[in-house]
Amino acid sequence: SVTLFGVVDASISGYSSTSRDLNGATFLNPFYLNQGSVKVSRRTLANSGYNSSRIGFRGTEDLGGGLAASFWLEAPISNDDGQQGIATFARRSTVSLSGGFGEVRLGRDYTPTFWNDTVFDPFGTNGVGSNLINTANDAFGTFGTPAAATAPFTNVGSSNYVRASNSIGYFLPPNLGGFYGQVQYAFSEKNKYSPGTATPATLNASRQGRYVGGRFGYANGPLDVAVSYGSSTVGDNYYVGTTTKVNTLNLGASYDFGPVKLFGELSKAKNKIDYEVEPFLGGRPDVDLTGYLLGVTVPVGAGLIRASYSHVKYDFNAPAVLFAPAVEDPKANKLALGYVHNLSKRTALYATIARVSNKNGAALTVGGPAFIANGVFTPKTSTGYDFGIRHAF
Amino acid sequence: SVTLFGVVDASISGYSSTSRDLNGATFLNPFYLNQGSVKVSRRTLANSGYNSSRIGFRGTEDLGGGLAASFWLEAPISNDDGQQGIATFARRSTVSLSGGFGEVRLGRDYTPTFWNDTVFDPFGTNGVGSNLINTANDAFGTFGTPAAATAPFTNVGSSNYVRASNSIGYFLPPNLGGFYGQVQYAFSEKNKYSPGTATPATLNASRQGRYVGGRFGYANGPLDVAVSYGSSTVGDNYYVGTTTKVNTLNLGASYDFGPVKLFGELSKAKNKIDYEVEPFLGGRPDVDLTGYLLGVTVPVGAGLIRASYSHVKYDFNAPAVLFAPAVEDPKANKLALGYVHNLSKRTALYATIARVSNKNGAALTVGGPAFIANGVFTPKTSTGYDFGIRHAF
Amino acid sequence: SVTLFGVVDASISGYSSTSRDLNGATFLNPFYLNQGSVKVSRRTLANSGYNSSRIGFRGTEDLGGGLAASFWLEAPISNDDGQQGIATFARRSTVSLSGGFGEVRLGRDYTPTFWNDTVFDPFGTNGVGSNLINTANDAFGTFGTPAAATAPFTNVGSSNYVRASNSIGYFLPPNLGGFYGQVQYAFSEKNKYSPGTATPATLNASRQGRYVGGRFGYANGPLDVAVSYGSSTVGDNYYVGTTTKVNTLNLGASYDFGPVKLFGELSKAKNKIDYEVEPFLGGRPDVDLTGYLLGVTVPVGAGLIRASYSHVKYDFNAPAVLFAPAVEDPKANKLALGYVHNLSKRTALYATIARVSNKNGAALTVGGPAFIANGVFTPKTSTGYDFGIRHAF
């Protein structure tokens, strides 16, 4: 009654991040010597270039009367170096009760808002081809510390961008003529003190971790379209009376013409501080992150050509300062191209190349080493490739 | 030849711990303003509210001649947040050889003394309903550091209250007319130095971790009764010549009348320092922890009503000091009430509520956040609930 | 399509390491009181005394046309204390594509150079009987820190002596008339900076981790013989222009006479610093580690007698200093004797005893506690025994 399943995906991958000296001679420094560019590169054996490497256990029990109980435990694994086995079930860890009413699901699961970012991406947010909406949002609402961002699997304290722990989900039943939908609530699991003055004077510790969101869509024949909205509490300060949230709204669609399938997505995220008492000089302005994606896949025999263009822009909503030059909004775009060759349903070879171009201080990469960024060098282009094999079992 | 098995148990749980200001106006401070009470509460998605969440692998090989070899590897999992997968086999990790002589079992296993605490508890030491004998003993003999107490699964250095690593167990064969029994010895795995003066001057490092115990019982028809005794070395100091042990004696019984099943247990644990050279002013007195439990389960159709009352008392055996008021012994009692509704043999819904009342400084909870305890506030009542689903596979 | 397999091996093991005071009365200190010897011993429940405890998942998919895809995920487990479950797949974690051309394998796998050390050892580099070539090489090329050496499973940063992560392997097809062979390359996965002056001034951080090696052999009837060579980059310093490598060459053979099977191995490893600019006074001389092994197994009914003698010698190639006494090369030898009794193909009881004799400061043990080594005491003999059960599934 238990199904054991998994994916082992390994690739030879290379990454290269180039920063450039954009300074030139000025009136104050007429003899400035431009230092050109500096490149950081790395070659690796990587995992999850096409599909995420994993191993899982799942099963369903028919309880009669249309009712069923089921479980799903899925672990991320790093098969390139063998260092992460089934240490966690951080990909998914749920128990469900389902019936004519739909499904109630308890545990750790994908957030509704992440689904559109991955389902409508020809590269499925995997490998160097993953779209920029995903790359930028993943680092957008981290809980204060960079460590949280880099350890999305082992650290519960990440921003709940991809998944949320301690969640209760509800899914519409599948028989609604193509309409589908879900809502999710995740507990912050933080202590509440009564009277509130007993709350320890700790930043980011009393409401952080809560997530609430939903997603609704329509899939029929060649068309699939869905909208989602979610709000993630990424930090707060009880004494100052602030709550920091990332609110995300996105809309995605795909249409399968047969010889060609088109993909598109729009996304808008806002990193927002709610003030119980508005500061005299105004609070920190909201930070906006908007993005769009256009993608296409073309089946050719046993293969599939994949391509996507994505674009993101940050807006710090900084107030204009008299006589100062306006600060340009950081932005980046990405072009990704790939080919998958299916040796069977379970086994495929794949190749992907991608290039990110950054402007005005954005520092997004295709993966691999971070840019060298300092007073002299500004991040510019990041390129990378994956050449690998995906085997599912 | 391998059986894959497990439990995924998730519940919506809430906990609340209230401390009260028990001080009043005194001769020295006639205007003391009583500060009332302070409450810490938390709502969570929890695991293991009815049965412990787990995943395991086990198997048996018939060697012929009545002989069999078997193994059992069982991991605790945290399915509410997905953060603990099969990282350890800390629930049980054994290899056995069995035959007409009984069974010899090597590895990590339950201690004999823990069995009575869980078998004769209607709530099986799970969830908010777990009995106080369990709650109090779990924190009674920790190896010096609080961390050890809070990480019973990942830290070998816990007090061996529930389980012991590196153990050799022997079990009587099952055909003894209802009599059953087991003994267990667990190595401390500490270095021994000869001459002893080469022993590094480290506290709690040369004999800590050793456990020896046994359990004997009789189960026939509706009756099950068992007695167990164990001794756990929780610390020592080679140079001062002390050895700290927790010695536990308990007796439990259940009787199934059919419409009603009754449970009872008596437990006495002693945290004791043996001195090779008795200090001039006497050593630290023994600390005693005594407790009892009364429980009942009532089957109703597909359901089961569960209830228990448990009581524990600490005795510090402090010598009476002339003219000083006697220090009252800390004590606590707990009432737990629950209902389990079986949807099938494998799947059940359950609800439990419980309340602990502390006196004289005891600070036991039903789970969740610790009491606020300081000069002003004294721990009083802790309440909690679990409302969840248990699915076994 | 997935095979679940494993080994649970537990033993009662004891270790004892004796150091001796080798100093005597001298002209300068005519009344020196020799302090005799000091012994550190430990008794444990150990794992992997006969075969390494493990649990794994593997499978193969036939892709047609002689082509096949396969995966192998194998975790080391510590069944004696249950503390290591399937936390990593550090024993092996690979995905392969194979056909008439041979096999291409990606991931974490044994290095070619380790195979001869384990295949031609009657004790298979497990338990107290493991040969000294293995013991000495395991600690020979560690990446700077002792921690790396003691955590071969969880630390990618070990010396790649036994296994290498992020590797690409190629294996000859099996139909070559007894000839077999493999080559392996493992990425260092370190960042490369262009221009090189952008490289951070960090020791051991820009090329460490790379491994390249191969093994070729011939197995036909009773004879099996193989030679292997490998080079592991264990450290480097970009700015000083040094690269530290361990280069290993070994040759092993076994011949099965029927009533007796003989084993032999020769091994030479060199810890070598390559200087881009040779220092004026010469660099650090190479350190050589040479060893040999002689072994025998004798089947007796359902049992197998095993014995081996191994010897290793370190050579620091220190330049002779006028009038100073020559420093003797540290060396050690080991005698191991064991018996395995098979209860079935899957289950066996075993007993092993072993003794290491160290000279001139060598400090190799059979396992267990390290020697006491200081100005007074010099490591001498280490003895140990395993008495256990191995159960495979």
Side-chain angles (χ1 to χ4, degrees):
Chain A
S1 65
V2 179
T3 302
L4 176 62
F5 65 97
V7 168
V8 181
D9 182 322
S11 63
I12 296 166
S13 297
Y15 315 96
S16 174
S17 300
T18 305
S19 305
R20 218 167 288 155
D21 183 352
L22 300 177
N23 306 301
T26 59
F27 185 77
L28 289 170
N29 186 358
F31 304 108
Y32 183 81
L33 188 67
N34 188 290
Q35 303 195 30
S37 68
V38 62
K39 188 170 83 172
V40 193
S41 61
R42 194 196 295 163
R43 267 184 325 142
T44 66
L45 191 81
N47 65 64
S48 310
Y50 176 32
N51 287 169
S52 297
S53 290
R54 75 193 75 173
I55 192 164
F57 308 88
R58 63 171 183 245
T60 298
E61 183 195 16
D62 187 344
L63 297 169
L67 218 58
S70 56
F71 75 98
W72 191 300
L73 299 169
E74 188 177 319
I77 64 173
S78 70
N79 52 288
D80 50 339
D81 59 13
Q83 299 304 297
Q84 183 163 23
I86 314 180
T88 72
F89 287 121
R91 285 187 56 81
R92 181 170 162 189
S93 164
T94 60
V95 55
S96 294
L97 198 63
S98 54
F101 60 87
E103 177 185 349
V104 174
R105 193 184 285 181
L106 305 177
R108 178 172 173 84
D109 197 10
Y110 284 104
T111 58
T113 30
F114 178 69
W115 277 115
N116 283 349
D117 291 352
T118 191
V119 166
F120 300 112
D121 177 1
F123 294 91
T125 56
N126 271 98
V128 295
S130 177
N131 71 73
L132 279 191
I133 296 174
N134 169 247
T135 311
N137 276 279
D138 204 16
F140 189 54
T142 49
F143 289 169
T145 58
T150 56
F153 282 132
T154 55
N155 193 341
V156 193
S158 74
S159 69
N160 290 340
Y161 164 58
V162 178
R163 298 173 179 88
S165 291
N166 306 302
S167 79
I168 303 173
Y170 166 74
F171 293 76
L172 291 176
N175 56 352
L176 300 178
F179 288 98
Y180 59 86
Q182 68 171 110
V183 290
Q184 185 187 44
Y185 178 83
F187 289 105
S188 73
E189 296 207 342
K190 293 295 186 296
N191 289 343
K192 198 178 149 188
Y193 295 82
S194 165
T197 50
T199 308
T202 318
L203 190 64
N204 281 337
S206 36
R207 281 175 296 263
Q208 184 196 70
R210 183 177 165 277
Y211 174 92
V212 58
R215 178 171 184 254
F216 297 91
Y218 177 76
N220 209 342
L223 175 69
D224 188 358
V225 56
V227 62
S228 78
Y229 178 79
S231 176
S232 176
T233 305
V234 298
D236 72 273
N237 189 330
Y238 178 84
Y239 283 98
V240 175
T242 62
T243 306
T244 311
K245 289 182 179 180
V246 170
N247 296 337
T248 306
L249 174 68
N250 56 34
L251 170 73
S254 66
Y255 196 94
D256 191 347
F257 290 94
V260 163
K261 187 176 177 184
L262 295 184
F263 299 80
E265 196 201 348
L266 295 170
S267 165
K268 172 150 193 148
K270 197 182 269 293
N271 189 318
K272 184 184 169 70
I273 300 184
D274 286 330
Y275 295 86
E276 229 165 83
V277 180
E278 188 72 25
F280 181 66
L281 294 168
R284 192 207 70 179
D286 297 348
V287 182
D288 293 335
L289 171 61
T290 53
Y292 67 85
L293 159 84
L294 292 171
V296 62
T297 60
V298 182
V300 280
L304 186 74
I305 295 170
R306 309 188 292 170
S308 82
Y309 176 82
S310 54
H311 175 91
V312 293
K313 201 185 87 166
Y314 296 85
D315 188 342
F316 293 101
N317 293 303
V321 177
L322 222 61
F323 300 118
V327 176
E328 301 279 344
D329 290 331
K331 54 189 177 182
N333 60 58
K334 179 174 188 174
L335 197 60
L337 190 66
Y339 175 68
V340 177
H341 187 79
N342 294 298
L343 298 174
S344 75
K345 282 201 171 180
R346 291 167 48 197
T347 306
L349 301 176
Y350 62 89
T352 310
I353 53 169
R355 175 190 183 92
V356 174
S357 300
N358 291 287
K359 265 199 182 161
N360 306 331
L364 301 174
T365 70
V366 298
F371 285 99
I372 289 185
N374 50 37
V376 175
F377 294 104
T378 305
K380 294 302 287 181
T381 56
S382 167
T383 60
Y385 64 87
D386 293 324
F387 174 64
I389 181 170
R390 187 279 327 263
H391 177 64
F393 56 92
Chain B
S1 65
V2 179
T3 302
L4 176 63
F5 66 97
V7 169
V8 180
D9 181 322
S11 64
I12 296 166
S13 297
Y15 315 96
S16 175
S17 301
T18 305
S19 305
R20 218 166 288 155
D21 183 352
L22 301 177
N23 305 301
T26 58
F27 184 76
L28 289 170
N29 186 358
F31 304 108
Y32 182 81
L33 188 67
N34 188 289
Q35 302 194 31
S37 68
V38 61
K39 189 170 82 173
V40 193
S41 60
R42 193 196 296 163
R43 267 184 326 142
T44 66
L45 191 81
N47 65 63
S48 310
Y50 176 32
N51 288 169
S52 297
S53 291
R54 76 194 73 173
I55 192 162
F57 308 88
R58 66 171 182 246
T60 298
E61 183 196 14
D62 187 344
L63 297 170
L67 218 59
S70 56
F71 76 98
W72 190 299
L73 299 169
E74 188 177 317
I77 64 173
S78 69
N79 53 286
D80 50 340
D81 59 14
Q83 297 304 297
Q84 183 163 23
I86 315 181
T88 71
F89 288 120
R91 286 186 56 80
R92 182 170 161 189
S93 165
T94 60
V95 55
S96 294
L97 198 63
S98 55
F101 60 88
E103 177 186 348
V104 174
R105 193 184 285 180
L106 305 178
R108 179 172 172 85
D109 197 10
Y110 285 104
T111 58
T113 30
F114 178 69
W115 277 114
N116 284 348
D117 292 351
T118 191
V119 167
F120 300 112
D121 177 0
F123 294 91
T125 55
N126 271 99
V128 296
S130 177
N131 70 74
L132 280 191
I133 296 175
N134 170 249
T135 311
N137 276 279
D138 205 17
F140 189 54
T142 48
F143 288 168
T145 58
T150 55
F153 281 132
T154 54
N155 192 341
V156 193
S158 74
S159 69
N160 290 340
Y161 164 59
V162 177
R163 297 173 181 88
S165 291
N166 306 302
S167 79
I168 304 173
Y170 166 73
F171 293 75
L172 291 176
N175 55 353
L176 300 178
F179 287 98
Y180 59 86
Q182 69 172 112
V183 289
Q184 186 187 45
Y185 177 82
F187 289 105
S188 72
E189 297 207 343
K190 294 295 186 296
N191 289 343
K192 199 179 148 187
Y193 295 82
S194 166
T197 49
T199 308
T202 317
L203 190 64
N204 282 337
S206 36
R207 281 177 295 264
Q208 185 196 69
R210 184 178 165 277
Y211 174 91
V212 57
R215 179 172 183 253
F216 297 92
Y218 177 77
N220 208 339
L223 175 69
D224 188 358
V225 57
V227 62
S228 78
Y229 178 79
S231 177
S232 176
T233 305
V234 298
D236 71 274
N237 189 330
Y238 178 85
Y239 283 98
V240 174
T242 62
T243 308
T244 311
K245 289 183 179 179
V246 170
N247 296 337
T248 306
L249 175 69
N250 57 33
L251 171 72
S254 66
Y255 196 95
D256 192 347
F257 289 95
V260 163
K261 186 176 177 184
L262 294 185
F263 299 80
E265 195 201 350
L266 294 171
S267 165
K268 172 148 192 148
K270 196 183 270 293
N271 190 319
K272 184 184 170 69
I273 300 184
D274 286 330
Y275 295 87
E276 230 165 83
V277 180
E278 188 72 27
F280 181 65
L281 295 168
R284 193 208 69 180
D286 297 347
V287 181
D288 293 334
L289 171 61
T290 54
Y292 67 85
L293 159 85
L294 291 171
V296 61
T297 59
V298 182
V300 281
L304 186 74
I305 296 169
R306 308 188 293 170
S308 81
Y309 176 83
S310 54
H311 175 90
V312 293
K313 202 184 88 165
Y314 297 84
D315 188 343
F316 292 101
N317 293 303
V321 177
L322 222 62
F323 302 116
V327 176
E328 300 279 344
D329 290 332
K331 54 190 177 182
N333 59 58
K334 179 173 188 174
L335 197 60
L337 191 65
Y339 175 69
V340 178
H341 187 79
N342 293 299
L343 298 174
S344 75
K345 283 201 172 180
R346 291 167 48 196
T347 305
L349 302 176
Y350 62 88
T352 311
I353 52 169
R355 176 191 182 93
V356 173
S357 300
N358 291 286
K359 264 199 181 161
N360 307 331
L364 300 175
T365 70
V366 298
F371 285 99
I372 289 186
N374 50 36
V376 175
F377 294 104
T378 305
K380 294 302 287 180
T381 56
S382 167
T383 60
Y385 64 86
D386 293 324
F387 174 65
I389 180 169
R390 187 279 326 263
H391 178 64
F393 56 93
Chain C
S1 65
V2 180
T3 301
L4 177 62
F5 65 97
V7 169
V8 181
D9 182 322
S11 64
I12 297 165
S13 297
Y15 314 96
S16 175
S17 300
T18 305
S19 305
R20 218 167 288 156
D21 183 352
L22 300 176
N23 305 302
T26 59
F27 183 78
L28 289 170
N29 185 359
F31 304 108
Y32 183 80
L33 189 68
N34 188 288
Q35 301 195 30
S37 68
V38 61
K39 189 170 81 174
V40 193
S41 60
R42 193 195 296 163
R43 267 185 324 142
T44 66
L45 191 81
N47 65 63
S48 309
Y50 175 32
N51 288 168
S52 297
S53 291
R54 76 194 73 172
I55 192 164
F57 308 87
R58 65 171 183 246
T60 298
E61 183 195 15
D62 186 344
L63 297 169
L67 218 58
S70 56
F71 75 99
W72 191 300
L73 300 169
E74 187 177 319
I77 65 173
S78 70
N79 52 287
D80 50 338
D81 60 14
Q83 298 304 297
Q84 183 163 22
I86 314 180
T88 72
F89 288 120
R91 286 187 56 80
R92 181 171 162 188
S93 164
T94 60
V95 55
S96 295
L97 198 63
S98 54
F101 59 87
E103 177 187 347
V104 174
R105 194 184 284 180
L106 305 178
R108 179 172 173 84
D109 196 9
Y110 286 102
T111 58
T113 31
F114 178 69
W115 277 115
N116 283 350
D117 291 351
T118 192
V119 166
F120 299 112
D121 178 0
F123 294 91
T125 56
N126 272 98
V128 296
S130 177
N131 71 75
L132 280 190
I133 296 174
N134 170 248
T135 311
N137 276 279
D138 204 16
F140 189 53
T142 49
F143 289 168
T145 57
T150 56
F153 281 134
T154 54
N155 193 341
V156 193
S158 75
S159 69
N160 291 340
Y161 163 58
V162 178
R163 297 173 181 89
S165 290
N166 306 303
S167 79
I168 304 173
Y170 166 73
F171 293 75
L172 291 176
N175 55 354
L176 301 178
F179 288 97
Y180 58 87
Q182 68 172 112
V183 290
Q184 186 187 43
Y185 177 82
F187 289 106
S188 73
E189 297 206 343
K190 295 295 188 293
N191 289 343
K192 197 178 150 188
Y193 295 83
S194 164
T197 50
T199 307
T202 317
L203 190 63
N204 282 338
S206 36
R207 282 177 295 264
Q208 185 196 70
R210 184 177 165 279
Y211 174 92
V212 58
R215 179 174 184 251
F216 297 91
Y218 177 76
N220 208 342
L223 175 70
D224 188 358
V225 58
V227 63
S228 77
Y229 177 78
S231 176
S232 176
T233 305
V234 299
D236 71 274
N237 189 330
Y238 178 84
Y239 283 99
V240 175
T242 63
T243 307
T244 311
K245 290 182 177 180
V246 170
N247 296 338
T248 307
L249 175 68
N250 56 34
L251 170 72
S254 65
Y255 197 93
D256 192 347
F257 291 95
V260 164
K261 186 177 178 184
L262 295 184
F263 299 79
E265 195 200 350
L266 294 170
S267 166
K268 172 150 191 145
K270 196 183 269 295
N271 190 318
K272 184 184 170 68
I273 300 184
D274 286 330
Y275 294 87
E276 229 164 84
V277 181
E278 187 74 25
F280 180 66
L281 294 168
R284 193 207 70 180
D286 298 347
V287 181
D288 292 335
L289 171 61
T290 53
Y292 67 85
L293 159 86
L294 292 171
V296 61
T297 59
V298 183
V300 281
L304 186 74
I305 295 169
R306 308 189 292 170
S308 82
Y309 177 82
S310 54
H311 175 91
V312 294
K313 201 184 87 163
Y314 297 85
D315 187 342
F316 292 102
N317 293 305
V321 178
L322 223 61
F323 301 116
V327 176
E328 300 279 345
D329 290 331
K331 53 189 176 182
N333 61 58
K334 179 174 187 174
L335 198 59
L337 190 65
Y339 175 68
V340 178
H341 188 78
N342 293 299
L343 298 173
S344 75
K345 282 200 173 182
R346 291 167 47 197
T347 305
L349 301 176
Y350 62 90
T352 310
I353 53 170
R355 174 190 183 92
V356 173
S357 300
N358 289 288
K359 265 198 180 162
N360 306 331
L364 301 174
T365 70
V366 298
F371 286 98
I372 288 186
N374 50 37
V376 175
F377 294 104
T378 304
K380 294 302 287 180
T381 56
S382 167
T383 60
Y385 63 87
D386 293 324
F387 174 63
I389 180 169
R390 187 278 328 261
H391 177 66
F393 56 92

